[in-house]
Amino acid sequence: MFRWGGRLRASQFQSLTKSAPFRSYRQVRFGAPRKQYSRFQNASNFFMRWAQRPTFYRDIGLISLGSGGFYVYHLEEVPVSRRRRFNMISPTFEAYVGKLSMEEIQEKYKGRFLPDWDPRVQKVQKVLERLLPFAQKAGLHDVEWEVNVIDDPDQQNAFVIPGGKVFVFTGILPLCKDEDGIAAVLGHEIAHVVAHHSAEGMSRAPFVLAGILLLAMFDVSLYSSKLVLDLFLTWPGSRKQEAEADYIGLLMMAQGCYNPEAAMEFWARMEKSGQAAPPQILSTHPSNHNREEKIREWLPEAFEKQQLSECHTTMSYGETCIMMTARDTINEKTVDQFAATLKQHHDSDRW
């Protein structure tokens, strides 16, 4: 350690104090108006000048008319559920985004993909092949489906990205228990692709950005803006999509000659697995208990779809007896609840 032992002369001290930067502080009274950032100031000035123009109301009318026409033009009906929604993303662009995601996933889990001859991969492939005809009936044509099973016992997850790339983690297979459970998981994930939920989510992005800019004009921090918009735009929409995927996937697995009750049993096992989950209001997914209740309401329709399919020609006599017994054991209360739900949502949005 070195110490400088010399003394400063008066002239040297004065030269140092002159060259040092001087910063002044001004006391601001509580409640007094403060200076805003220049970007917000400029934005406010721009809108003030625009509002003073004689063509302001005409401009607002033209913008509203154009926006409304654009919105109505891109309204469409979701396959199977018949829900009306706004979607301005084409299937081609959605598939391109899925391709980029595929490359990222392959890089992240490199060396952990199970080979095609692995029994777990073959079982997932078998279930997928029985579900695909009904996905094609719902509008998924010219899709190159591919099964990828990732060796990760600690991750209880599965997903399907646009373009037909299926990813299943080995950690979820014990919870599936059998092929019926796998069909419940794959049916749900394939339903996201059938309903083009990724495109719907991307279509909401401009509205999210507009909301952030609107809140920023009132000098609200961007972090607060994101939280508010996530709560009122992103999260409720995600829960709606998850419920819709449960419904479409349930009908799909029923038409594929799998036991629809397996979906309800799967979510019951998920609930008992002890996975910590936030309250439903703070989650993008419905709670496992609520999923069980909704699936219980949809079971009569699922069994009806199963009867109308060609399951009687592909199932054995024992499997047919089990399905008929399961259908008959649905109590009258469940059937009455299902009928009331259909009547209540007949002319409105199901979800």
Side-chain angles (χ1 to χ4, degrees), residues 284-303:
T284 59
H285 291 61
S287 66
N288 294 331
H289 178 73
N290 288 344
R291 273 179 153 158
E292 291 178 57
E293 294 303 317
K294 294 299 294 184
I295 291 174
R296 191 186 302 275
E297 294 179 12
W298 299 327
L299 280 179
E301 185 178 358
F303 282 118

Side-chain angles (χ1 to χ4, degrees), residues 22 24 29 36 55 66 97 116 122 164 197 247 259 326:
F22 179 76
S24 62
R29 184 172 53 87
Q36 293 183 336
T55 60
V97 174
D116 295 338
Q122 294 178 358
H197 284 160
Y247 173 76
N259 182 10

Side-chain angles (χ1 to χ4, degrees), residues 116-288:
D116 295 338
W117 50 262
D118 190 284
R120 291 166 290 185
V121 178
Q122 294 178 358
K123 181 178 289 188
V124 175
Q125 182 70 43
K126 177 184 176 181
V127 174
L128 177 66
E129 290 176 354
R130 284 177 59 174
L131 297 177
L132 287 185
F134 308 99
Q136 294 170 353
K137 287 182 181 179
L140 285 183
H141 303 291
D142 302 326
V143 177
E144 297 181 2
W145 294 91
E146 178 183 327
V147 171
N148 300 274
V149 179
I150 302 174
D151 189 10
D152 189 348
D154 298 327
Q155 191 160 172
Q156 300 172 347
N157 193 18
F159 57 91
V160 180
I161 61 176
K165 303 302 182 284
V166 181
F167 295 90
V168 178
F169 293 86
T170 55
I172 202 173
L173 294 178
L175 285 175
C176 293
K177 194 175 180 180
D178 51 24
E179 292 185 8
D180 288 327
I182 296 176
V185 173
L186 290 187
H188 171 88
E189 300 302 335
I190 295 173
H192 280 301
V193 182
V194 169
H196 298 284
H197 284 160
S198 297
E200 183 180 0
M202 287 186 285
S203 297
R204 288 199 301 266
F207 298 99
V208 175
L209 179 60
I212 292 176
L213 294 177
L214 182 63
L215 292 179
M217 287 177 53
F218 295 95
D219 202 19
V220 178
S221 66
L222 293 180
Y223 178 75
S224 301
S225 304
K226 183 179 183 303
L227 287 180
V228 172
L229 290 169
D230 278 348
L231 180 61
F232 289 102
L233 294 178
T234 307
W235 287 353
S238 297
R239 288 198 297 269
K240 181 186 297 183
Q241 291 177 353
E242 289 297 322
E244 189 172 55
D246 286 340
Y247 173 76
I248 297 175
L250 182 70
L251 300 185
M252 191 181 303
M253 67 176 294
Q255 295 176 89
C257 306
Y258 290 106
N259 182 10
E261 287 186 317
M264 188 172 59
E265 296 169 358
F266 169 77
W267 292 114
R269 289 192 294 270
M270 283 287 288
E271 188 174 13
K272 292 179 181 178
S273 65
Q275 292 192 98
Q280 183 176 352
I281 186 64
L282 301 177
S283 174
T284 59
H285 291 61
S287 66
N288 294 331

Side-chain angles (χ1 to χ4, degrees), residues 261 300 303-304 307 322-331:
E261 287 186 317
F303 282 118
E304 182 181 353
Q307 276 192 320
I322 292 174
M323 292 298 177
M324 294 295 292
T325 303
R327 185 197 64 186
D328 294 337
T329 53
I330 298 176
N331 55 45

Side-chain angles (χ1 to χ4, degrees), residues 18-73:
K18 287 182 180 179
S19 61
F22 179 76
R23 180 179 296 176
S24 62
Y25 295 89
R26 181 171 61 91
Q27 185 177 7
V28 179
R29 184 172 53 87
F30 178 78
R34 300 185 180 185
K35 186 177 179 180
Q36 293 183 336
Y37 291 106
S38 59
R39 60 184 180 186
F40 300 128
Q41 187 88 24
N42 295 335
S44 301
N45 293 337
F46 170 77
F47 283 103
M48 289 295 295
R49 291 195 303 268
W50 183 34
Q52 294 174 358
R53 295 178 58 182
T55 60
F56 174 72
Y57 292 104
R58 186 200 64 182
D59 297 341
I60 290 295
L62 291 176
I63 293 174
S64 301
L65 183 63
S67 301
F70 181 82
Y71 180 83
V72 172
Y73 179 78

